[in-house]
Amino acid sequence: MTALSDGRPARVLPPAPVRAAVIMLVFTAALYVFEAVDQASGGMVESAAAIYPRSTEGLTGVLTAPLVHDDWAHLAANSLPFLIFGFLAMSGGPVQWFAVTATIWLVSGLGVWLVSPAPVIGASGIVFGWFLFLLVRGFYARNGRQILLALVLFLFYGSILWGVLPSDPSVSWQGHLFGAVGGVVAAYWVAKADRLPS
């Protein structure tokens, strides 16, 4: 198992798990608030927040689209993996988690804006990004505990990786794919930064 540049072993759980859990619960609750407001507005929030591909106005959706969903079922389907992966991705602390999440958020959103054939909303790109981050970071860091966690996560959730391929036309595989790319990029950067002398 490799250690970080300051001698600490690379973690698989957040250093402050209660704080991490609270952050993720509040973040998830915020998604439900956005959905409630969207439902009350008759879909106006969803319409305003979506990524509209290759449209200058649609670029704002890169920042807002993950916060809104088609309906309650769409949000509910994302909620559990959103909570689990987001919590585990906080093992490097909240500052690193914010940088990882921002990388995934931007790569996913910009990828969708460039290649999607239709407007896109939802947090599944973030979910896929966190998942791929958790799957590959241990291999970049050559860390046995993180690799073991990756194998356990793959055992339980590996089937969602089919979501990066075109299948259901109502599902944005582009968001999944570019979210996954963002997660791999973030994992590489984190592993590289952790190896730098402090």
Side-chain angles (χ1 to χ4, degrees), residues 24 27-28 31 66 69 74-87 89 97 100-101 104-105 108 122-135 153 157 160-161 164 175-184:
M24 287 311 305
F27 196 177
T28 306
L31 299 183
H69 292 77
H74 183 203
L75 176 55
N78 277 335
S79 294
L80 185 59
F82 186 85
L83 277 166
I84 293 172
F85 300 158
F87 174 81
W97 175 83
V100 166
T101 302
I104 294 166
W105 199 302
S108 175
S124 55
I126 309 299
V127 170
F128 271 76
W130 282 335
F131 186 46
L132 265 292
F133 172 78
L134 293 167
L135 287 186
L153 289 174
Y157 287 101
I160 72 171
L161 292 175
V164 303
H176 299 170
L177 175 61
F178 285 103
V181 170
V184 172

Short mmCIF file of all heavy atoms in Angstrom, two decimals, residues 24 27-28 31 66 69 74-87 89 97 100-101 104-105 108 122-135 153 157 160-161 164 175-184:
data_model
loop_
_atom_site.label_atom_id
_atom_site.label_comp_id
_atom_site.label_asym_id
_atom_site.label_seq_id
_atom_site.Cartn_x
_atom_site.Cartn_y
_atom_site.Cartn_z
N MET A 24 -23.50 15.18 2.20
CA MET A 24 -24.20 14.45 1.14
C MET A 24 -25.71 14.45 1.36
O MET A 24 -26.48 14.53 0.39
CB MET A 24 -23.67 13.02 1.04
CG MET A 24 -22.29 12.92 0.42
SD MET A 24 -22.13 13.85 -1.15
CE MET A 24 -23.47 13.14 -2.11
N PHE A 27 -26.87 17.90 0.34
CA PHE A 27 -26.79 18.01 -1.12
C PHE A 27 -27.96 17.27 -1.77
O PHE A 27 -28.63 17.80 -2.68
CB PHE A 27 -25.46 17.42 -1.58
CG PHE A 27 -25.03 17.78 -2.98
CD1 PHE A 27 -23.81 17.35 -3.47
CD2 PHE A 27 -25.83 18.54 -3.82
CE1 PHE A 27 -23.39 17.65 -4.77
CE2 PHE A 27 -25.43 18.86 -5.12
CZ PHE A 27 -24.21 18.40 -5.58
N THR A 28 -28.22 16.06 -1.30
CA THR A 28 -29.31 15.27 -1.86
C THR A 28 -30.66 15.91 -1.56
O THR A 28 -31.55 15.97 -2.43
CB THR A 28 -29.28 13.83 -1.30
OG1 THR A 28 -27.99 13.27 -1.53
CG2 THR A 28 -30.34 12.96 -1.97
N LEU A 31 -31.50 18.58 -3.97
CA LEU A 31 -32.04 18.10 -5.25
C LEU A 31 -33.55 17.88 -5.15
O LEU A 31 -34.29 18.15 -6.11
CB LEU A 31 -31.35 16.79 -5.66
CG LEU A 31 -29.84 16.84 -5.87
CD1 LEU A 31 -29.33 15.48 -6.35
CD2 LEU A 31 -29.45 17.93 -6.86
N PRO A 66 -27.32 19.35 -13.55
CA PRO A 66 -27.31 18.24 -12.58
C PRO A 66 -28.21 18.46 -11.37
O PRO A 66 -28.46 17.53 -10.60
CB PRO A 66 -25.83 18.18 -12.14
CG PRO A 66 -25.07 18.78 -13.27
CD PRO A 66 -25.96 19.88 -13.76
N HIS A 69 -34.25 17.28 -12.37
CA HIS A 69 -34.55 15.97 -12.93
C HIS A 69 -35.89 15.98 -13.65
O HIS A 69 -36.71 16.89 -13.45
CB HIS A 69 -34.54 14.91 -11.82
CG HIS A 69 -33.17 14.67 -11.25
ND1 HIS A 69 -32.58 15.54 -10.37
CD2 HIS A 69 -32.27 13.67 -11.48
CE1 HIS A 69 -31.37 15.08 -10.06
NE2 HIS A 69 -31.15 13.97 -10.72
N HIS A 74 -37.06 9.78 -11.68
CA HIS A 74 -35.71 10.03 -12.17
C HIS A 74 -34.78 10.40 -11.01
O HIS A 74 -33.67 9.86 -10.87
CB HIS A 74 -35.75 11.16 -13.21
CG HIS A 74 -34.44 11.48 -13.85
ND1 HIS A 74 -34.18 12.70 -14.44
CD2 HIS A 74 -33.31 10.75 -14.01
CE1 HIS A 74 -32.95 12.70 -14.93
NE2 HIS A 74 -32.40 11.53 -14.67
N LEU A 75 -35.25 11.28 -10.15
CA LEU A 75 -34.45 11.69 -8.99
C LEU A 75 -34.25 10.54 -8.02
O LEU A 75 -33.14 10.32 -7.51
CB LEU A 75 -35.14 12.86 -8.28
CG LEU A 75 -34.51 13.36 -6.99
CD1 LEU A 75 -33.05 13.73 -7.19
CD2 LEU A 75 -35.29 14.55 -6.44
N ALA A 76 -35.30 9.76 -7.77
CA ALA A 76 -35.18 8.63 -6.84
C ALA A 76 -34.18 7.60 -7.34
O ALA A 76 -33.41 7.02 -6.56
CB ALA A 76 -36.55 7.98 -6.64
N ALA A 77 -34.14 7.38 -8.66
CA ALA A 77 -33.21 6.41 -9.22
C ALA A 77 -31.76 6.85 -9.02
O ALA A 77 -30.86 6.01 -8.88
CB ALA A 77 -33.50 6.22 -10.71
N ASN A 78 -31.52 8.14 -9.01
CA ASN A 78 -30.16 8.65 -8.82
C ASN A 78 -29.75 8.77 -7.35
O ASN A 78 -28.56 8.83 -7.04
CB ASN A 78 -30.03 10.05 -9.46
CG ASN A 78 -29.77 9.99 -10.95
OD1 ASN A 78 -29.24 9.02 -11.47
ND2 ASN A 78 -30.14 11.05 -11.65
N SER A 79 -30.73 8.82 -6.44
CA SER A 79 -30.45 9.24 -5.07
C SER A 79 -29.51 8.33 -4.30
O SER A 79 -28.55 8.81 -3.67
CB SER A 79 -31.76 9.39 -4.29
OG SER A 79 -32.54 10.44 -4.82
N LEU A 80 -29.75 7.02 -4.30
CA LEU A 80 -28.92 6.13 -3.49
C LEU A 80 -27.47 6.09 -3.98
O LEU A 80 -26.54 6.28 -3.18
CB LEU A 80 -29.52 4.72 -3.43
CG LEU A 80 -28.78 3.74 -2.51
CD1 LEU A 80 -28.75 4.26 -1.07
CD2 LEU A 80 -29.43 2.35 -2.57
N PRO A 81 -27.22 5.85 -5.28
CA PRO A 81 -25.82 5.90 -5.72
C PRO A 81 -25.20 7.28 -5.54
O PRO A 81 -24.01 7.39 -5.27
CB PRO A 81 -25.88 5.48 -7.20
CG PRO A 81 -27.29 5.64 -7.60
CD PRO A 81 -28.12 5.43 -6.37
N PHE A 82 -25.99 8.33 -5.68
CA PHE A 82 -25.49 9.69 -5.46
C PHE A 82 -24.98 9.83 -4.03
O PHE A 82 -23.87 10.33 -3.80
CB PHE A 82 -26.63 10.69 -5.72
CG PHE A 82 -26.23 12.14 -5.67
CD1 PHE A 82 -25.69 12.77 -6.78
CD2 PHE A 82 -26.41 12.88 -4.51
CE1 PHE A 82 -25.33 14.11 -6.74
CE2 PHE A 82 -26.05 14.22 -4.46
CZ PHE A 82 -25.52 14.84 -5.58
N LEU A 83 -25.75 9.35 -3.07
CA LEU A 83 -25.36 9.41 -1.66
C LEU A 83 -24.11 8.57 -1.38
O LEU A 83 -23.16 9.03 -0.75
CB LEU A 83 -26.50 8.94 -0.78
CG LEU A 83 -27.58 9.95 -0.43
CD1 LEU A 83 -28.80 9.24 0.16
CD2 LEU A 83 -27.05 10.98 0.56
N ILE A 84 -24.13 7.33 -1.85
CA ILE A 84 -23.04 6.40 -1.54
C ILE A 84 -21.73 6.83 -2.20
O ILE A 84 -20.69 6.94 -1.54
CB ILE A 84 -23.41 4.97 -1.99
CG1 ILE A 84 -24.57 4.44 -1.13
CG2 ILE A 84 -22.20 4.03 -1.88
CD1 ILE A 84 -25.13 3.12 -1.62
N PHE A 85 -21.78 7.08 -3.50
CA PHE A 85 -20.55 7.43 -4.22
C PHE A 85 -20.01 8.79 -3.77
O PHE A 85 -18.80 8.97 -3.63
CB PHE A 85 -20.78 7.45 -5.73
CG PHE A 85 -21.24 6.14 -6.31
CD1 PHE A 85 -21.91 6.10 -7.53
CD2 PHE A 85 -21.04 4.94 -5.64
CE1 PHE A 85 -22.34 4.91 -8.08
CE2 PHE A 85 -21.47 3.73 -6.18
CZ PHE A 85 -22.13 3.72 -7.40
N GLY A 86 -20.91 9.74 -3.55
CA GLY A 86 -20.47 11.05 -3.10
C GLY A 86 -19.81 10.98 -1.73
O GLY A 86 -18.78 11.63 -1.49
N PHE A 87 -20.38 10.18 -0.84
CA PHE A 87 -19.80 10.00 0.50
C PHE A 87 -18.40 9.38 0.40
O PHE A 87 -17.44 9.87 0.99
CB PHE A 87 -20.73 9.11 1.33
CG PHE A 87 -20.17 8.73 2.67
CD1 PHE A 87 -20.24 9.60 3.75
CD2 PHE A 87 -19.58 7.49 2.87
CE1 PHE A 87 -19.72 9.24 5.00
CE2 PHE A 87 -19.05 7.12 4.10
CZ PHE A 87 -19.13 8.01 5.17
N ALA A 89 -16.40 9.29 -2.14
CA ALA A 89 -15.46 10.16 -2.87
C ALA A 89 -14.88 11.24 -1.98
O ALA A 89 -13.92 11.91 -2.36
CB ALA A 89 -16.16 10.79 -4.07
N TRP A 97 -12.71 16.67 -2.46
CA TRP A 97 -14.01 16.25 -2.99
C TRP A 97 -14.61 17.34 -3.87
O TRP A 97 -15.15 17.05 -4.94
CB TRP A 97 -14.95 15.91 -1.84
CG TRP A 97 -16.35 15.58 -2.25
CD1 TRP A 97 -16.82 14.37 -2.69
CD2 TRP A 97 -17.48 16.47 -2.28
NE1 TRP A 97 -18.16 14.46 -2.97
CE2 TRP A 97 -18.59 15.73 -2.73
CE3 TRP A 97 -17.64 17.81 -1.95
CZ2 TRP A 97 -19.86 16.29 -2.86
CZ3 TRP A 97 -18.91 18.38 -2.09
CH2 TRP A 97 -19.99 17.63 -2.53
N VAL A 100 -12.73 17.32 -7.15
CA VAL A 100 -13.11 16.15 -7.94
C VAL A 100 -14.50 16.35 -8.54
O VAL A 100 -14.72 16.11 -9.73
CB VAL A 100 -13.08 14.88 -7.05
CG1 VAL A 100 -13.79 13.71 -7.74
CG2 VAL A 100 -11.64 14.51 -6.71
N THR A 101 -15.44 16.80 -7.72
CA THR A 101 -16.81 16.99 -8.17
C THR A 101 -16.89 18.07 -9.24
O THR A 101 -17.60 17.91 -10.25
CB THR A 101 -17.72 17.34 -6.98
OG1 THR A 101 -17.65 16.29 -6.01
CG2 THR A 101 -19.17 17.52 -7.43
N ILE A 104 -15.63 16.62 -12.57
CA ILE A 104 -16.64 15.74 -13.16
C ILE A 104 -17.80 16.56 -13.72
O ILE A 104 -18.27 16.33 -14.84
CB ILE A 104 -17.14 14.74 -12.11
CG1 ILE A 104 -16.02 13.77 -11.72
CG2 ILE A 104 -18.37 13.97 -12.62
CD1 ILE A 104 -16.30 12.97 -10.47
N TRP A 105 -18.26 17.50 -12.94
CA TRP A 105 -19.40 18.35 -13.32
C TRP A 105 -19.13 19.06 -14.64
O TRP A 105 -19.97 19.05 -15.55
CB TRP A 105 -19.62 19.37 -12.20
CG TRP A 105 -20.94 20.05 -12.12
CD1 TRP A 105 -21.55 20.81 -13.08
CD2 TRP A 105 -21.83 20.06 -10.99
NE1 TRP A 105 -22.75 21.30 -12.63
CE2 TRP A 105 -22.95 20.86 -11.35
CE3 TRP A 105 -21.78 19.50 -9.72
CZ2 TRP A 105 -24.01 21.11 -10.47
CZ3 TRP A 105 -22.84 19.74 -8.85
CH2 TRP A 105 -23.93 20.52 -9.22
N SER A 108 -18.46 16.46 -17.70
CA SER A 108 -19.74 15.87 -18.11
C SER A 108 -20.60 16.89 -18.84
O SER A 108 -21.12 16.60 -19.93
CB SER A 108 -20.47 15.35 -16.87
OG SER A 108 -21.75 14.87 -17.21
N GLY A 122 -30.23 16.32 -15.07
CA GLY A 122 -30.06 15.21 -14.14
C GLY A 122 -28.64 15.05 -13.63
O GLY A 122 -27.68 15.48 -14.27
N ALA A 123 -28.54 14.40 -12.47
CA ALA A 123 -27.26 14.24 -11.78
C ALA A 123 -26.54 12.94 -12.13
O ALA A 123 -25.51 12.64 -11.53
CB ALA A 123 -27.49 14.29 -10.26
N SER A 124 -27.04 12.20 -13.09
CA SER A 124 -26.42 10.89 -13.37
C SER A 124 -24.99 11.03 -13.90
O SER A 124 -24.17 10.14 -13.68
CB SER A 124 -27.28 10.07 -14.32
OG SER A 124 -27.55 10.78 -15.51
N GLY A 125 -24.67 12.13 -14.57
CA GLY A 125 -23.29 12.33 -15.00
C GLY A 125 -22.36 12.44 -13.80
O GLY A 125 -21.24 11.92 -13.82
N ILE A 126 -22.83 13.11 -12.74
CA ILE A 126 -22.03 13.22 -11.51
C ILE A 126 -21.90 11.85 -10.87
O ILE A 126 -20.81 11.47 -10.40
CB ILE A 126 -22.68 14.20 -10.53
CG1 ILE A 126 -23.01 15.54 -11.21
CG2 ILE A 126 -21.80 14.40 -9.29
CD1 ILE A 126 -21.81 16.27 -11.75
N VAL A 127 -22.99 11.08 -10.84
CA VAL A 127 -22.97 9.73 -10.27
C VAL A 127 -21.95 8.86 -10.99
O VAL A 127 -21.12 8.19 -10.35
CB VAL A 127 -24.37 9.10 -10.34
CG1 VAL A 127 -24.32 7.61 -9.99
CG2 VAL A 127 -25.34 9.83 -9.41
N PHE A 128 -21.98 8.87 -12.32
CA PHE A 128 -21.02 8.07 -13.09
C PHE A 128 -19.60 8.56 -12.85
O PHE A 128 -18.66 7.75 -12.79
CB PHE A 128 -21.36 8.13 -14.58
CG PHE A 128 -22.33 7.06 -15.01
CD1 PHE A 128 -23.68 7.17 -14.71
CD2 PHE A 128 -21.90 5.94 -15.69
CE1 PHE A 128 -24.57 6.19 -15.08
CE2 PHE A 128 -22.78 4.96 -16.08
CZ PHE A 128 -24.13 5.07 -15.77
N GLY A 129 -19.42 9.86 -12.73
CA GLY A 129 -18.08 10.40 -12.49
C GLY A 129 -17.51 9.96 -11.16
O GLY A 129 -16.37 9.50 -11.07
N TRP A 130 -18.31 10.06 -10.10
CA TRP A 130 -17.85 9.59 -8.78
C TRP A 130 -17.56 8.10 -8.82
O TRP A 130 -16.58 7.63 -8.23
CB TRP A 130 -18.90 9.89 -7.72
CG TRP A 130 -18.95 11.30 -7.24
CD1 TRP A 130 -17.93 12.22 -7.26
CD2 TRP A 130 -20.07 11.97 -6.66
NE1 TRP A 130 -18.36 13.41 -6.73
CE2 TRP A 130 -19.66 13.29 -6.35
CE3 TRP A 130 -21.38 11.59 -6.37
CZ2 TRP A 130 -20.52 14.22 -5.75
CZ3 TRP A 130 -22.24 12.50 -5.79
CH2 TRP A 130 -21.81 13.80 -5.48
N PHE A 131 -18.41 7.35 -9.50
CA PHE A 131 -18.23 5.90 -9.56
C PHE A 131 -16.90 5.55 -10.24
O PHE A 131 -16.13 4.73 -9.72
CB PHE A 131 -19.40 5.26 -10.31
CG PHE A 131 -19.40 3.76 -10.32
CD1 PHE A 131 -19.16 3.03 -9.16
CD2 PHE A 131 -19.65 3.05 -11.49
CE1 PHE A 131 -19.16 1.65 -9.16
CE2 PHE A 131 -19.67 1.68 -11.51
CZ PHE A 131 -19.42 0.97 -10.34
N LEU A 132 -16.63 6.16 -11.37
CA LEU A 132 -15.36 5.86 -12.06
C LEU A 132 -14.17 6.37 -11.26
O LEU A 132 -13.11 5.72 -11.24
CB LEU A 132 -15.37 6.46 -13.47
CG LEU A 132 -15.80 5.51 -14.58
CD1 LEU A 132 -14.77 4.40 -14.80
CD2 LEU A 132 -17.17 4.90 -14.31
N PHE A 133 -14.32 7.49 -10.60
CA PHE A 133 -13.26 7.98 -9.72
C PHE A 133 -12.92 6.92 -8.68
O PHE A 133 -11.74 6.61 -8.45
CB PHE A 133 -13.73 9.28 -9.05
CG PHE A 133 -12.80 9.77 -7.97
CD1 PHE A 133 -11.62 10.44 -8.28
CD2 PHE A 133 -13.11 9.58 -6.63
CE1 PHE A 133 -10.77 10.90 -7.28
CE2 PHE A 133 -12.26 10.03 -5.62
CZ PHE A 133 -11.09 10.68 -5.95
N LEU A 134 -13.94 6.37 -8.05
CA LEU A 134 -13.73 5.36 -7.02
C LEU A 134 -13.18 4.06 -7.59
O LEU A 134 -12.42 3.34 -6.93
CB LEU A 134 -15.05 5.09 -6.28
CG LEU A 134 -15.58 6.27 -5.45
CD1 LEU A 134 -17.03 6.01 -5.04
CD2 LEU A 134 -14.71 6.51 -4.23
N LEU A 135 -13.55 3.73 -8.82
CA LEU A 135 -13.09 2.49 -9.44
C LEU A 135 -11.61 2.53 -9.82
O LEU A 135 -10.91 1.52 -9.70
CB LEU A 135 -13.91 2.16 -10.69
CG LEU A 135 -15.34 1.67 -10.49
CD1 LEU A 135 -15.94 1.27 -11.83
CD2 LEU A 135 -15.42 0.51 -9.52
N LEU A 153 -17.37 -2.21 -5.00
CA LEU A 153 -18.33 -1.34 -5.69
C LEU A 153 -18.69 -1.89 -7.06
O LEU A 153 -19.85 -1.85 -7.48
CB LEU A 153 -17.76 0.07 -5.82
CG LEU A 153 -17.66 0.89 -4.53
CD1 LEU A 153 -16.94 2.20 -4.79
CD2 LEU A 153 -19.05 1.16 -3.95
N TYR A 157 -22.37 -2.51 -8.25
CA TYR A 157 -22.88 -1.48 -9.15
C TYR A 157 -22.30 -1.54 -10.56
O TYR A 157 -22.62 -0.68 -11.38
CB TYR A 157 -22.61 -0.08 -8.57
CG TYR A 157 -23.47 0.27 -7.39
CD1 TYR A 157 -22.98 0.18 -6.08
CD2 TYR A 157 -24.78 0.71 -7.57
CE1 TYR A 157 -23.77 0.52 -5.00
CE2 TYR A 157 -25.59 1.06 -6.49
CZ TYR A 157 -25.07 0.95 -5.21
OH TYR A 157 -25.86 1.28 -4.13
N ILE A 160 -24.13 -0.74 -13.98
CA ILE A 160 -24.53 0.59 -14.46
C ILE A 160 -23.59 1.11 -15.54
O ILE A 160 -23.94 2.04 -16.26
CB ILE A 160 -24.64 1.62 -13.31
CG1 ILE A 160 -23.26 2.03 -12.78
CG2 ILE A 160 -25.54 1.13 -12.20
CD1 ILE A 160 -23.31 3.20 -11.81
N LEU A 161 -22.42 0.47 -15.66
CA LEU A 161 -21.46 0.93 -16.66
C LEU A 161 -22.00 0.78 -18.08
O LEU A 161 -21.52 1.44 -19.00
CB LEU A 161 -20.13 0.19 -16.52
CG LEU A 161 -19.34 0.51 -15.24
CD1 LEU A 161 -18.10 -0.37 -15.15
CD2 LEU A 161 -18.95 1.99 -15.21
N VAL A 164 -23.02 3.91 -20.27
CA VAL A 164 -22.19 4.79 -21.09
C VAL A 164 -22.36 4.48 -22.58
O VAL A 164 -21.78 5.17 -23.42
CB VAL A 164 -20.69 4.70 -20.71
CG1 VAL A 164 -20.49 5.03 -19.25
CG2 VAL A 164 -20.11 3.33 -21.05
N GLY A 175 -24.07 12.03 -21.17
CA GLY A 175 -23.80 12.53 -19.84
C GLY A 175 -23.09 11.49 -18.98
O GLY A 175 -22.16 11.81 -18.23
N HIS A 176 -23.52 10.23 -19.11
CA HIS A 176 -22.87 9.14 -18.38
C HIS A 176 -21.42 8.97 -18.82
O HIS A 176 -20.51 8.85 -17.99
CB HIS A 176 -23.62 7.82 -18.61
CG HIS A 176 -25.04 7.85 -18.15
ND1 HIS A 176 -25.93 6.84 -18.45
CD2 HIS A 176 -25.74 8.75 -17.40
CE1 HIS A 176 -27.10 7.11 -17.91
NE2 HIS A 176 -27.01 8.27 -17.28
N LEU A 177 -21.23 8.96 -20.13
CA LEU A 177 -19.89 8.74 -20.68
C LEU A 177 -18.94 9.85 -20.27
O LEU A 177 -17.82 9.58 -19.78
CB LEU A 177 -19.96 8.64 -22.20
CG LEU A 177 -18.61 8.52 -22.93
CD1 LEU A 177 -17.88 7.26 -22.49
CD2 LEU A 177 -18.81 8.55 -24.45
N PHE A 178 -19.34 11.09 -20.45
CA PHE A 178 -18.42 12.19 -20.12
C PHE A 178 -18.28 12.38 -18.62
O PHE A 178 -17.23 12.84 -18.15
CB PHE A 178 -18.87 13.48 -20.83
CG PHE A 178 -18.56 13.48 -22.29
CD1 PHE A 178 -19.55 13.23 -23.23
CD2 PHE A 178 -17.27 13.69 -22.74
CE1 PHE A 178 -19.27 13.21 -24.59
CE2 PHE A 178 -16.97 13.68 -24.09
CZ PHE A 178 -17.97 13.43 -25.03
N GLY A 179 -19.30 12.02 -17.85
CA GLY A 179 -19.13 11.99 -16.41
C GLY A 179 -18.07 10.99 -16.01
O GLY A 179 -17.21 11.26 -15.16
N ALA A 180 -18.12 9.80 -16.64
CA ALA A 180 -17.12 8.76 -16.37
C ALA A 180 -15.72 9.25 -16.75
O ALA A 180 -14.75 9.03 -16.01
CB ALA A 180 -17.47 7.49 -17.14
N VAL A 181 -15.62 9.92 -17.90
CA VAL A 181 -14.31 10.48 -18.32
C VAL A 181 -13.82 11.47 -17.27
O VAL A 181 -12.64 11.46 -16.89
CB VAL A 181 -14.43 11.15 -19.70
CG1 VAL A 181 -13.17 11.94 -20.03
CG2 VAL A 181 -14.69 10.10 -20.77
N GLY A 182 -14.72 12.33 -16.79
CA GLY A 182 -14.33 13.29 -15.77
C GLY A 182 -13.84 12.61 -14.50
O GLY A 182 -12.89 13.08 -13.86
N GLY A 183 -14.47 11.49 -14.13
CA GLY A 183 -14.04 10.75 -12.94
C GLY A 183 -12.66 10.16 -13.10
O GLY A 183 -11.85 10.18 -12.16
N VAL A 184 -12.36 9.65 -14.27
CA VAL A 184 -11.03 9.08 -14.54
C VAL A 184 -9.98 10.18 -14.50
O VAL A 184 -8.90 10.01 -13.92
CB VAL A 184 -11.03 8.34 -15.89
CG1 VAL A 184 -9.61 7.92 -16.27
CG2 VAL A 184 -11.94 7.12 -15.84
#
